[in-house]
Amino acid sequence: MSADGVALQALIEAIEGIDGVRLAVPLGAKAPDWWPWDARGFAVDLAPESVEVRVVAQTLPLAPLLEKTTAQLRAALLDTRWADAVLRVVVADLDAVAFDRKHGC
């Protein structure tokens, strides 16, 4: 697997390990089984000096959620060429469950 592929997989796994956030995949939560690639990768952009990860927030408040998410993603990038890259976490959507008093605000 290429360095890009290893970093991408590490970022996907990091996000999946965080309660309250999921990748903002344009095709929905799961791609069709017949697809030859992992659609979750569409939520991540790896540029030479920056990394952008688009997420859907499922809990509020956002500030602590984004701090936790950023820390997990930074840790996932430690042993990659993006260890010192600019990291952007973009909340592309807010899940309605975030407004449920039991789960979020």
Side-chain angles (χ1 to χ4, degrees):
M1 185 180 288
S2 70
D4 290 10
V6 170
L8 180 62
Q9 190 60 38
L11 292 168
I12 289 170
E13 290 172 7
I15 289 291
E16 290 184 343
I18 302 170
D19 287 334
V21 70
R22 64 178 165 83
L23 290 166
V25 179
L27 301 171
K30 187 174 188 267
D33 291 336
W34 52 267
W35 269 34
W37 57 83
D38 188 345
R40 297 173 300 174
F42 290 124
V44 179
D45 289 331
L46 294 170
E49 303 207 7
S50 67
V51 175
E52 181 173 299
V53 180
R54 289 169 298 283
V55 298
V56 175
Q58 297 173 304
T59 62
L60 293 172
L62 285 178
L65 179 63
L66 291 175
E67 287 174 16
K68 179 171 62 171
T69 301
T70 300
Q72 290 287 91
L73 293 173
R74 240 331 133 205
L77 292 170
L78 270 181
D79 294 328
T80 72
R81 67 181 186 174
W82 293 277
D84 296 321
V86 173
L87 175 60
R88 242 180 259 109
V89 179
V90 177
V91 178
D93 200 2
L94 184 58
D95 196 311
V97 73
F99 296 102
D100 182 351
R101 296 259 184 233
K102 292 182 285 188
H103 296 98
C105 60

